[in-house]
Amino acid sequence: MPPRNVGWSSKGRWVHDAKLAFEWYFLRKVRTGISEPFYEKFVMKTLKITKIKA
């Protein structure tokens, strides 16, 4: 089995932009109090990913 403690990282402007976009998205979810927006539900349903408990 390969080692499990392998870290992946990258450099560049796109990494910074992606991190900012994710932070803005996550903080917006926290501020509004919506844990699972409709588009997340849609993507999960499309990919056939289900929750363990409803």
Side-chain angles (χ1 to χ4, degrees):
M1 291 186 73
R4 298 265 187 232
N5 61 346
V6 176
W8 296 91
S9 63
S10 185
K11 294 181 183 178
R13 179 72 184 166
W14 73 272
V15 177
H16 176 73
D17 293 341
K19 181 180 175 187
L20 281 178
F22 178 76
E23 286 177 0
W24 288 338
Y25 164 74
F26 182 77
L27 288 176
R28 182 177 159 266
K29 281 177 55 172
V30 170
R31 280 190 218 110
T32 59
I34 300 171
S35 63
E36 192 176 13
F38 73 93
Y39 45 85
E40 283 185 12
K41 289 181 188 177
F42 176 75
V43 170
M44 295 299 216
K45 190 180 253 186
T46 304
L47 297 174
K48 296 182 180 163
I49 300 173
T50 58
K51 293 180 181 179
I52 293 174
K53 287 187 176 182

Short mmCIF file of all heavy atoms in Angstrom, two decimals:
data_model
loop_
_atom_site.label_atom_id
_atom_site.label_comp_id
_atom_site.label_asym_id
_atom_site.label_seq_id
_atom_site.Cartn_x
_atom_site.Cartn_y
_atom_site.Cartn_z
N MET A 1 0.84 -1.18 0.00
CA MET A 1 0.00 0.00 0.00
C MET A 1 0.88 1.24 0.00
O MET A 1 1.87 1.30 0.72
CB MET A 1 -0.90 0.02 1.23
CG MET A 1 -1.98 -1.04 1.22
SD MET A 1 -3.12 -0.87 2.60
CE MET A 1 -4.02 0.55 2.10
N PRO A 2 0.51 2.24 -0.77
CA PRO A 2 1.30 3.47 -0.79
C PRO A 2 1.13 4.24 0.52
O PRO A 2 0.17 4.03 1.26
CB PRO A 2 0.71 4.25 -1.95
CG PRO A 2 -0.67 3.73 -2.09
CD PRO A 2 -0.61 2.28 -1.68
N PRO A 3 2.08 5.12 0.81
CA PRO A 3 1.95 5.91 2.05
C PRO A 3 0.73 6.82 2.00
O PRO A 3 0.37 7.36 0.95
CB PRO A 3 3.24 6.72 2.09
CG PRO A 3 3.77 6.71 0.72
CD PRO A 3 3.27 5.45 0.06
N ARG A 4 0.08 6.98 3.14
CA ARG A 4 -1.15 7.78 3.20
C ARG A 4 -0.88 9.25 3.52
O ARG A 4 -1.74 10.08 3.33
CB ARG A 4 -2.07 7.21 4.28
CG ARG A 4 -2.48 5.81 4.00
CD ARG A 4 -3.81 5.79 3.30
NE ARG A 4 -4.28 4.43 3.16
CZ ARG A 4 -4.68 3.91 2.02
NH1 ARG A 4 -4.68 4.63 0.94
NH2 ARG A 4 -5.11 2.68 1.96
N ASN A 5 0.27 9.56 4.04
CA ASN A 5 0.56 10.93 4.46
C ASN A 5 1.28 11.73 3.37
O ASN A 5 2.26 12.40 3.63
CB ASN A 5 1.35 10.93 5.76
CG ASN A 5 2.68 10.23 5.61
OD1 ASN A 5 2.90 9.54 4.63
ND2 ASN A 5 3.56 10.39 6.58
N VAL A 6 0.79 11.66 2.17
CA VAL A 6 1.38 12.39 1.05
C VAL A 6 0.62 13.71 0.89
O VAL A 6 -0.60 13.72 0.83
CB VAL A 6 1.29 11.57 -0.25
CG1 VAL A 6 1.82 12.37 -1.43
CG2 VAL A 6 2.06 10.28 -0.10
N GLY A 7 1.35 14.81 0.85
CA GLY A 7 0.74 16.11 0.68
C GLY A 7 0.89 16.59 -0.75
O GLY A 7 1.93 16.42 -1.37
N TRP A 8 -0.17 17.17 -1.28
CA TRP A 8 -0.14 17.72 -2.63
C TRP A 8 -0.18 19.24 -2.52
O TRP A 8 -0.98 19.78 -1.77
CB TRP A 8 -1.34 17.24 -3.44
CG TRP A 8 -1.32 15.78 -3.66
CD1 TRP A 8 -1.89 14.83 -2.87
CD2 TRP A 8 -0.67 15.08 -4.71
NE1 TRP A 8 -1.66 13.58 -3.38
CE2 TRP A 8 -0.90 13.70 -4.52
CE3 TRP A 8 0.08 15.46 -5.82
CZ2 TRP A 8 -0.42 12.73 -5.38
CZ3 TRP A 8 0.56 14.50 -6.67
CH2 TRP A 8 0.32 13.16 -6.45
N SER A 9 0.65 19.90 -3.27
CA SER A 9 0.65 21.36 -3.26
C SER A 9 1.03 21.87 -4.65
O SER A 9 1.54 21.13 -5.47
CB SER A 9 1.62 21.90 -2.20
OG SER A 9 2.94 21.52 -2.53
N SER A 10 0.76 23.13 -4.84
CA SER A 10 1.07 23.75 -6.11
C SER A 10 1.39 25.22 -5.87
O SER A 10 1.13 25.75 -4.80
CB SER A 10 -0.12 23.60 -7.06
OG SER A 10 0.22 24.09 -8.33
N LYS A 11 1.93 25.85 -6.88
CA LYS A 11 2.28 27.26 -6.79
C LYS A 11 1.64 28.01 -7.93
O LYS A 11 1.28 27.44 -8.95
CB LYS A 11 3.79 27.44 -6.89
CG LYS A 11 4.58 26.88 -5.76
CD LYS A 11 6.06 27.13 -5.96
CE LYS A 11 6.87 26.49 -4.86
NZ LYS A 11 8.32 26.68 -5.07
N GLY A 12 1.50 29.29 -7.75
CA GLY A 12 1.01 30.12 -8.84
C GLY A 12 -0.14 31.01 -8.42
O GLY A 12 -0.73 30.86 -7.36
N ARG A 13 -0.45 31.94 -9.29
CA ARG A 13 -1.53 32.89 -9.03
C ARG A 13 -2.88 32.18 -8.96
O ARG A 13 -3.73 32.55 -8.15
CB ARG A 13 -1.53 33.94 -10.15
CG ARG A 13 -2.59 34.97 -10.03
CD ARG A 13 -2.32 35.94 -8.91
NE ARG A 13 -3.44 36.85 -8.79
CZ ARG A 13 -3.63 37.63 -7.76
NH1 ARG A 13 -2.76 37.63 -6.77
NH2 ARG A 13 -4.67 38.42 -7.69
N TRP A 14 -3.08 31.14 -9.77
CA TRP A 14 -4.37 30.44 -9.79
C TRP A 14 -4.65 29.78 -8.45
O TRP A 14 -5.81 29.67 -8.05
CB TRP A 14 -4.43 29.44 -10.93
CG TRP A 14 -3.58 28.21 -10.70
CD1 TRP A 14 -2.28 28.04 -11.03
CD2 TRP A 14 -4.01 27.00 -10.09
NE1 TRP A 14 -1.85 26.80 -10.65
CE2 TRP A 14 -2.91 26.13 -10.06
CE3 TRP A 14 -5.20 26.56 -9.54
CZ2 TRP A 14 -2.96 24.85 -9.53
CZ3 TRP A 14 -5.26 25.29 -9.00
CH2 TRP A 14 -4.16 24.45 -9.01
N VAL A 15 -3.61 29.36 -7.73
CA VAL A 15 -3.81 28.73 -6.42
C VAL A 15 -4.35 29.76 -5.44
O VAL A 15 -5.29 29.50 -4.68
CB VAL A 15 -2.50 28.11 -5.90
CG1 VAL A 15 -2.69 27.53 -4.52
CG2 VAL A 15 -1.98 27.06 -6.86
N HIS A 16 -3.78 30.94 -5.47
CA HIS A 16 -4.23 32.03 -4.61
C HIS A 16 -5.68 32.40 -4.93
O HIS A 16 -6.50 32.55 -4.02
CB HIS A 16 -3.31 33.24 -4.78
CG HIS A 16 -3.74 34.44 -4.01
ND1 HIS A 16 -3.60 34.51 -2.64
CD2 HIS A 16 -4.31 35.60 -4.39
CE1 HIS A 16 -4.09 35.68 -2.23
NE2 HIS A 16 -4.52 36.35 -3.28
N ASP A 17 -5.98 32.52 -6.21
CA ASP A 17 -7.34 32.86 -6.63
C ASP A 17 -8.34 31.78 -6.23
O ASP A 17 -9.45 32.09 -5.78
CB ASP A 17 -7.40 33.10 -8.13
CG ASP A 17 -6.62 34.34 -8.55
OD1 ASP A 17 -6.35 35.20 -7.68
OD2 ASP A 17 -6.27 34.44 -9.74
N ALA A 18 -7.96 30.53 -6.38
CA ALA A 18 -8.85 29.42 -6.01
C ALA A 18 -9.10 29.41 -4.51
O ALA A 18 -10.23 29.18 -4.05
CB ALA A 18 -8.25 28.10 -6.46
N LYS A 19 -8.08 29.69 -3.73
CA LYS A 19 -8.23 29.72 -2.27
C LYS A 19 -9.17 30.86 -1.86
O LYS A 19 -10.04 30.67 -1.02
CB LYS A 19 -6.87 29.91 -1.60
CG LYS A 19 -6.94 29.92 -0.10
CD LYS A 19 -5.57 30.12 0.54
CE LYS A 19 -5.73 30.24 2.03
NZ LYS A 19 -4.49 30.59 2.69
N LEU A 20 -9.00 32.03 -2.45
CA LEU A 20 -9.88 33.16 -2.15
C LEU A 20 -11.32 32.84 -2.53
O LEU A 20 -12.25 33.13 -1.77
CB LEU A 20 -9.42 34.41 -2.88
CG LEU A 20 -8.25 35.15 -2.27
CD1 LEU A 20 -7.88 36.34 -3.14
CD2 LEU A 20 -8.55 35.60 -0.87
N ALA A 21 -11.52 32.25 -3.70
CA ALA A 21 -12.87 31.92 -4.15
C ALA A 21 -13.53 30.94 -3.19
O ALA A 21 -14.69 31.09 -2.82
CB ALA A 21 -12.83 31.35 -5.56
N PHE A 22 -12.79 29.94 -2.75
CA PHE A 22 -13.35 28.96 -1.82
C PHE A 22 -13.67 29.61 -0.48
O PHE A 22 -14.71 29.34 0.12
CB PHE A 22 -12.40 27.79 -1.60
CG PHE A 22 -12.94 26.79 -0.62
CD1 PHE A 22 -13.94 25.92 -1.00
CD2 PHE A 22 -12.47 26.75 0.68
CE1 PHE A 22 -14.46 25.00 -0.09
CE2 PHE A 22 -12.99 25.85 1.60
CZ PHE A 22 -13.99 24.97 1.20
N GLU A 23 -12.79 30.48 0.00
CA GLU A 23 -13.04 31.16 1.28
C GLU A 23 -14.28 32.03 1.20
O GLU A 23 -15.11 32.04 2.10
CB GLU A 23 -11.84 32.00 1.69
CG GLU A 23 -10.67 31.18 2.18
CD GLU A 23 -9.46 32.02 2.52
OE1 GLU A 23 -9.52 33.26 2.38
OE2 GLU A 23 -8.44 31.44 2.94
N TRP A 24 -14.44 32.78 0.11
CA TRP A 24 -15.62 33.62 -0.06
C TRP A 24 -16.88 32.76 -0.10
O TRP A 24 -17.89 33.09 0.50
CB TRP A 24 -15.53 34.46 -1.33
CG TRP A 24 -14.52 35.57 -1.22
CD1 TRP A 24 -14.04 36.14 -0.08
CD2 TRP A 24 -13.88 36.22 -2.30
NE1 TRP A 24 -13.13 37.11 -0.40
CE2 TRP A 24 -13.01 37.19 -1.74
CE3 TRP A 24 -13.95 36.08 -3.68
CZ2 TRP A 24 -12.24 38.01 -2.55
CZ3 TRP A 24 -13.16 36.90 -4.46
CH2 TRP A 24 -12.32 37.86 -3.89
N TYR A 25 -16.82 31.66 -0.85
CA TYR A 25 -17.96 30.75 -0.96
C TYR A 25 -18.32 30.17 0.41
O TYR A 25 -19.48 30.17 0.82
CB TYR A 25 -17.61 29.64 -1.95
CG TYR A 25 -18.51 28.45 -1.89
CD1 TYR A 25 -19.79 28.51 -2.40
CD2 TYR A 25 -18.08 27.25 -1.32
CE1 TYR A 25 -20.62 27.41 -2.36
CE2 TYR A 25 -18.90 26.16 -1.27
CZ TYR A 25 -20.17 26.24 -1.79
OH TYR A 25 -20.99 25.15 -1.73
N PHE A 26 -17.32 29.68 1.13
CA PHE A 26 -17.57 29.05 2.43
C PHE A 26 -18.10 30.07 3.44
O PHE A 26 -19.07 29.79 4.16
CB PHE A 26 -16.29 28.41 2.95
CG PHE A 26 -16.48 27.70 4.26
CD1 PHE A 26 -17.09 26.47 4.30
CD2 PHE A 26 -16.07 28.28 5.44
CE1 PHE A 26 -17.28 25.80 5.50
CE2 PHE A 26 -16.25 27.63 6.65
CZ PHE A 26 -16.86 26.39 6.68
N LEU A 27 -17.51 31.25 3.52
CA LEU A 27 -17.96 32.26 4.47
C LEU A 27 -19.37 32.75 4.13
O LEU A 27 -20.15 33.05 5.03
CB LEU A 27 -16.98 33.43 4.50
CG LEU A 27 -15.65 33.10 5.18
CD1 LEU A 27 -14.70 34.29 5.08
CD2 LEU A 27 -15.85 32.71 6.62
N ARG A 28 -19.72 32.79 2.86
CA ARG A 28 -21.09 33.15 2.47
C ARG A 28 -22.08 32.11 2.99
O ARG A 28 -23.14 32.44 3.50
CB ARG A 28 -21.19 33.27 0.96
CG ARG A 28 -22.56 33.69 0.50
CD ARG A 28 -22.59 33.86 -1.02
NE ARG A 28 -23.96 33.77 -1.48
CZ ARG A 28 -24.55 32.66 -1.91
NH1 ARG A 28 -23.88 31.54 -1.95
NH2 ARG A 28 -25.80 32.67 -2.30
N LYS A 29 -21.69 30.84 2.88
CA LYS A 29 -22.55 29.77 3.41
C LYS A 29 -22.71 29.90 4.92
O LYS A 29 -23.80 29.72 5.46
CB LYS A 29 -21.97 28.39 3.09
CG LYS A 29 -22.22 27.93 1.68
CD LYS A 29 -21.57 26.61 1.36
CE LYS A 29 -21.94 25.50 2.29
NZ LYS A 29 -21.46 24.19 1.87
N VAL A 30 -21.64 30.24 5.61
CA VAL A 30 -21.69 30.38 7.07
C VAL A 30 -22.57 31.56 7.46
O VAL A 30 -23.40 31.45 8.36
CB VAL A 30 -20.27 30.54 7.66
CG1 VAL A 30 -20.31 30.92 9.11
CG2 VAL A 30 -19.47 29.26 7.47
N ARG A 31 -22.41 32.69 6.78
CA ARG A 31 -23.19 33.89 7.10
C ARG A 31 -24.68 33.69 6.86
O ARG A 31 -25.51 34.16 7.63
CB ARG A 31 -22.69 35.08 6.29
CG ARG A 31 -21.46 35.71 6.87
CD ARG A 31 -21.16 37.03 6.17
NE ARG A 31 -19.73 37.13 6.02
CZ ARG A 31 -19.07 37.06 4.88
NH1 ARG A 31 -19.71 36.94 3.74
NH2 ARG A 31 -17.77 37.13 4.85
N THR A 32 -25.03 33.04 5.75
CA THR A 32 -26.43 32.86 5.43
C THR A 32 -27.06 31.72 6.20
O THR A 32 -28.28 31.65 6.32
CB THR A 32 -26.64 32.61 3.92
OG1 THR A 32 -25.90 31.46 3.53
CG2 THR A 32 -26.22 33.81 3.11
N GLY A 33 -26.26 30.80 6.71
CA GLY A 33 -26.78 29.68 7.48
C GLY A 33 -27.32 28.55 6.64
O GLY A 33 -28.01 27.67 7.13
N ILE A 34 -27.00 28.55 5.36
CA ILE A 34 -27.45 27.48 4.47
C ILE A 34 -26.33 26.45 4.39
O ILE A 34 -25.26 26.72 3.87
CB ILE A 34 -27.78 28.01 3.06
CG1 ILE A 34 -28.88 29.06 3.15
CG2 ILE A 34 -28.16 26.88 2.14
CD1 ILE A 34 -29.12 29.80 1.86
N SER A 35 -26.60 25.25 4.93
CA SER A 35 -25.54 24.25 4.96
C SER A 35 -25.36 23.53 3.63
O SER A 35 -24.27 23.08 3.30
CB SER A 35 -25.81 23.22 6.05
OG SER A 35 -27.00 22.53 5.76
N GLU A 36 -26.45 23.43 2.86
CA GLU A 36 -26.37 22.72 1.59
C GLU A 36 -27.24 23.42 0.54
O GLU A 36 -28.43 23.15 0.45
CB GLU A 36 -26.82 21.28 1.77
CG GLU A 36 -26.52 20.39 0.61
CD GLU A 36 -26.90 18.95 0.89
OE1 GLU A 36 -27.61 18.69 1.87
OE2 GLU A 36 -26.51 18.10 0.10
N PRO A 37 -26.66 24.34 -0.24
CA PRO A 37 -27.43 25.06 -1.25
C PRO A 37 -27.97 24.12 -2.33
O PRO A 37 -27.50 22.99 -2.50
CB PRO A 37 -26.43 26.03 -1.86
CG PRO A 37 -25.30 26.10 -0.91
CD PRO A 37 -25.29 24.81 -0.18
N PHE A 38 -28.94 24.60 -3.09
CA PHE A 38 -29.59 23.77 -4.11
C PHE A 38 -28.61 23.26 -5.15
O PHE A 38 -28.74 22.15 -5.64
CB PHE A 38 -30.74 24.54 -4.77
CG PHE A 38 -30.29 25.62 -5.70
CD1 PHE A 38 -30.13 25.38 -7.05
CD2 PHE A 38 -30.03 26.90 -5.23
CE1 PHE A 38 -29.72 26.37 -7.91
CE2 PHE A 38 -29.62 27.91 -6.07
CZ PHE A 38 -29.46 27.65 -7.42
N TYR A 39 -27.61 24.07 -5.52
CA TYR A 39 -26.67 23.64 -6.55
C TYR A 39 -25.76 22.52 -6.05
O TYR A 39 -25.36 21.66 -6.81
CB TYR A 39 -25.86 24.81 -7.12
CG TYR A 39 -25.31 25.76 -6.08
CD1 TYR A 39 -24.11 25.51 -5.46
CD2 TYR A 39 -26.00 26.91 -5.73
CE1 TYR A 39 -23.59 26.38 -4.52
CE2 TYR A 39 -25.50 27.79 -4.80
CZ TYR A 39 -24.29 27.52 -4.19
OH TYR A 39 -23.79 28.37 -3.25
N GLU A 40 -25.44 22.52 -4.75
CA GLU A 40 -24.66 21.41 -4.20
C GLU A 40 -25.50 20.13 -4.21
O GLU A 40 -25.00 19.06 -4.55
CB GLU A 40 -24.21 21.71 -2.77
CG GLU A 40 -23.04 22.64 -2.69
CD GLU A 40 -22.54 22.81 -1.27
OE1 GLU A 40 -22.95 22.04 -0.38
OE2 GLU A 40 -21.73 23.72 -1.06
N LYS A 41 -26.77 20.25 -3.84
CA LYS A 41 -27.66 19.08 -3.87
C LYS A 41 -27.78 18.54 -5.29
O LYS A 41 -27.75 17.33 -5.50
CB LYS A 41 -29.05 19.46 -3.35
CG LYS A 41 -29.10 19.71 -1.87
CD LYS A 41 -30.50 20.06 -1.44
CE LYS A 41 -30.53 20.50 0.01
NZ LYS A 41 -31.86 20.92 0.43
N PHE A 42 -27.90 19.44 -6.27
CA PHE A 42 -28.02 19.04 -7.66
C PHE A 42 -26.78 18.29 -8.13
O PHE A 42 -26.87 17.23 -8.76
CB PHE A 42 -28.28 20.26 -8.54
CG PHE A 42 -28.31 19.94 -10.00
CD1 PHE A 42 -29.40 19.29 -10.55
CD2 PHE A 42 -27.25 20.27 -10.81
CE1 PHE A 42 -29.43 18.99 -11.90
CE2 PHE A 42 -27.26 19.97 -12.16
CZ PHE A 42 -28.36 19.33 -12.71
N VAL A 43 -25.60 18.84 -7.83
CA VAL A 43 -24.35 18.20 -8.26
C VAL A 43 -24.19 16.84 -7.59
O VAL A 43 -23.83 15.86 -8.25
CB VAL A 43 -23.14 19.11 -7.96
CG1 VAL A 43 -21.84 18.37 -8.18
CG2 VAL A 43 -23.19 20.36 -8.82
N MET A 44 -24.49 16.76 -6.31
CA MET A 44 -24.36 15.49 -5.60
C MET A 44 -25.33 14.45 -6.16
O MET A 44 -24.98 13.29 -6.33
CB MET A 44 -24.61 15.67 -4.11
CG MET A 44 -23.57 16.53 -3.44
SD MET A 44 -21.94 15.82 -3.58
CE MET A 44 -21.27 16.27 -2.02
N LYS A 45 -26.55 14.88 -6.46
CA LYS A 45 -27.54 13.96 -7.02
C LYS A 45 -27.11 13.51 -8.41
O LYS A 45 -27.26 12.34 -8.77
CB LYS A 45 -28.91 14.63 -7.08
CG LYS A 45 -30.03 13.68 -7.43
CD LYS A 45 -31.36 14.41 -7.48
CE LYS A 45 -32.17 14.04 -6.28
NZ LYS A 45 -33.54 14.60 -6.33
N THR A 46 -26.56 14.43 -9.21
CA THR A 46 -26.09 14.10 -10.55
C THR A 46 -24.95 13.09 -10.52
O THR A 46 -24.89 12.19 -11.32
CB THR A 46 -25.62 15.38 -11.28
OG1 THR A 46 -26.69 16.32 -11.28
CG2 THR A 46 -25.20 15.09 -12.69
N LEU A 47 -24.06 13.24 -9.54
CA LEU A 47 -22.93 12.32 -9.39
C LEU A 47 -23.30 11.06 -8.61
O LEU A 47 -22.45 10.21 -8.37
CB LEU A 47 -21.76 13.03 -8.70
CG LEU A 47 -21.17 14.21 -9.45
CD1 LEU A 47 -20.12 14.91 -8.61
CD2 LEU A 47 -20.57 13.74 -10.77
N LYS A 48 -24.56 10.96 -8.18
CA LYS A 48 -25.09 9.83 -7.42
C LYS A 48 -24.33 9.62 -6.11
O LYS A 48 -23.98 8.51 -5.73
CB LYS A 48 -25.07 8.56 -8.27
CG LYS A 48 -26.00 8.68 -9.45
CD LYS A 48 -26.03 7.43 -10.27
CE LYS A 48 -26.99 7.66 -11.43
NZ LYS A 48 -26.82 6.72 -12.49
N ILE A 49 -24.08 10.74 -5.43
CA ILE A 49 -23.45 10.71 -4.10
C ILE A 49 -24.54 10.97 -3.08
O ILE A 49 -25.25 11.96 -3.17
CB ILE A 49 -22.34 11.77 -3.99
CG1 ILE A 49 -21.26 11.51 -5.05
CG2 ILE A 49 -21.75 11.78 -2.60
CD1 ILE A 49 -20.23 12.60 -5.14
N THR A 50 -24.68 10.05 -2.13
CA THR A 50 -25.74 10.19 -1.13
C THR A 50 -25.15 10.35 0.26
O THR A 50 -24.00 10.00 0.49
CB THR A 50 -26.67 8.97 -1.14
OG1 THR A 50 -25.88 7.80 -0.87
CG2 THR A 50 -27.35 8.80 -2.48
N LYS A 51 -25.97 10.87 1.15
CA LYS A 51 -25.57 11.03 2.54
C LYS A 51 -25.75 9.69 3.26
O LYS A 51 -26.56 8.86 2.86
CB LYS A 51 -26.44 12.05 3.24
CG LYS A 51 -26.26 13.46 2.73
CD LYS A 51 -27.17 14.37 3.51
CE LYS A 51 -27.07 15.78 3.05
NZ LYS A 51 -27.96 16.66 3.80
N ILE A 52 -25.02 9.52 4.34
CA ILE A 52 -25.18 8.32 5.15
C ILE A 52 -26.50 8.42 5.92
O ILE A 52 -27.29 7.51 5.94
CB ILE A 52 -24.00 8.14 6.11
CG1 ILE A 52 -22.75 7.85 5.29
CG2 ILE A 52 -24.27 7.01 7.08
CD1 ILE A 52 -21.49 7.78 6.10
N LYS A 53 -26.75 9.60 6.54
CA LYS A 53 -28.00 9.87 7.24
C LYS A 53 -28.67 11.06 6.60
O LYS A 53 -28.01 12.03 6.25
CB LYS A 53 -27.75 10.16 8.72
CG LYS A 53 -27.37 8.96 9.54
CD LYS A 53 -27.31 9.35 11.00
CE LYS A 53 -27.02 8.14 11.87
NZ LYS A 53 -27.00 8.50 13.27
N ALA A 54 -29.96 11.00 6.47
CA ALA A 54 -30.71 12.12 5.86
C ALA A 54 -30.91 13.25 6.85
O ALA A 54 -30.89 13.12 8.01
CB ALA A 54 -32.05 11.65 5.37
#
